[in-house]
Amino acid sequence: DTKVLVLSYLIPHMATTIDAFSLVKLYIGSEGKSKSHLKKAMGMSYNPLLGMYNGYYVLDLSKHTDRQCLHKLFEQSIQINNHRKNIGKWDISQNGNWSCFRNVFVDGKPVHTLLLDDYSPIPKAGKLEFDFVDYSRPNHEIEKPLNDYKFILILISSAIYGLNNDKQQIQQLLYNKLNTL
């Protein structure tokens, strides 16, 4: 799909994540198939380039998109922590290093921390695994909360809640929830 190819090229060059998100929203909207193709084309860089940073990452540094992802995450970690320092907030990193990277493994071996100095320039080989924790409030344009109906469907599909996707039972769950608020 040409649209997906063009977007996967443009998004890394957008000035802000809000601009990137707006571009995707404008040209793809809620087209599930196109969004899925875009995510596949952009790999691990999809979420960070659109302003959604929190998560568990497994990066193969031989892939350009994974290096883009790491670059964006370093950028965000520095920005967040510089802001926290400037307003007098405490360091809440895992290792007292003002970093958003947690539980880091490099080529399968645990390391104390992931530092920009060790990855500048970003190597073209190796495997990184880590959690990234963004302490800032989510942008409500980008990270929308699930509605109750979708949340219940997730519980059902993951077998956490034992329904057979019966619409009446789901409606009863929603009704009970509303009555308990």
Side-chain angles (χ1 to χ4, degrees):
D1 186 4
T2 307
K3 182 170 38 176
V4 167
L5 186 62
V6 170
L7 285 172
S8 69
Y9 175 77
L10 287 176
I11 289 171
H13 302 286
M14 300 298 291
T16 67
T17 56
I18 299 294
D19 294 339
F21 183 80
S22 297
L23 187 69
V24 170
K25 192 174 176 181
L26 179 67
Y27 287 101
I28 289 184
S30 59
E31 292 176 36
K33 190 173 180 182
S34 291
K35 192 178 276 188
S36 162
H37 287 280
L38 182 60
K39 283 181 180 182
K40 185 175 181 180
M42 294 182 68
M44 293 298 288
S45 67
Y46 178 83
N47 281 345
L49 289 174
L50 293 176
M52 299 172 281
Y53 304 102
N54 287 318
Y56 171 68
Y57 291 85
V58 178
L59 304 180
D60 176 355
L61 297 180
S62 67
K63 296 179 181 176
H64 175 69
T65 55
D66 287 11
R67 290 192 306 275
Q68 274 181 329
C69 176
L70 183 60
H71 180 269
K72 187 65 178 176
L73 292 174
F74 271 130
E75 187 179 274
Q76 183 66 8
S77 180
I78 291 166
Q79 180 183 359
I80 289 169
N81 288 303
N82 283 343
H83 176 71
R84 289 184 62 77
K85 288 176 191 176
N86 290 339
I87 61 172
K89 295 284 186 178
W90 294 342
D91 174 16
I92 54 175
S93 64
Q94 183 177 22
N95 297 307
N97 60 355
W98 292 93
S99 174
C100 295
F101 295 92
R102 310 257 173 120
N103 309 315
V104 181
F105 288 82
V106 176
D107 294 323
K109 297 176 186 148
V111 295
H112 184 68
T113 190
L114 193 58
L115 299 173
L116 178 60
D117 295 344
D118 298 333
Y119 287 88
S120 186
I122 295 174
K124 294 188 177 184
K127 181 181 176 186
L128 295 176
E129 291 181 64
F130 55 86
D131 295 303
F132 189 87
V133 181
D134 181 349
Y135 317 113
S136 54
R137 305 286 263 160
N139 180 325
H140 294 292
E141 285 297 310
I142 295 172
E143 297 183 36
K144 296 192 183 281
L146 287 174
N147 65 37
D148 293 338
Y149 184 77
K150 285 183 180 178
F151 180 70
I152 289 170
L153 288 180
I154 289 171
L155 292 176
I156 293 166
S157 67
S158 63
I160 292 173
Y161 195 85
L163 296 177
N164 10 346
N165 209 2
D166 179 10
K167 208 172 205 166
Q168 185 178 6
Q169 287 178 310
I170 294 169
Q171 287 172 341
Q172 186 62 43
L173 270 176
L174 289 171
Y175 176 77
N176 288 342
K177 183 188 179 310
L178 291 173
N179 286 334
T180 59
L181 293 178

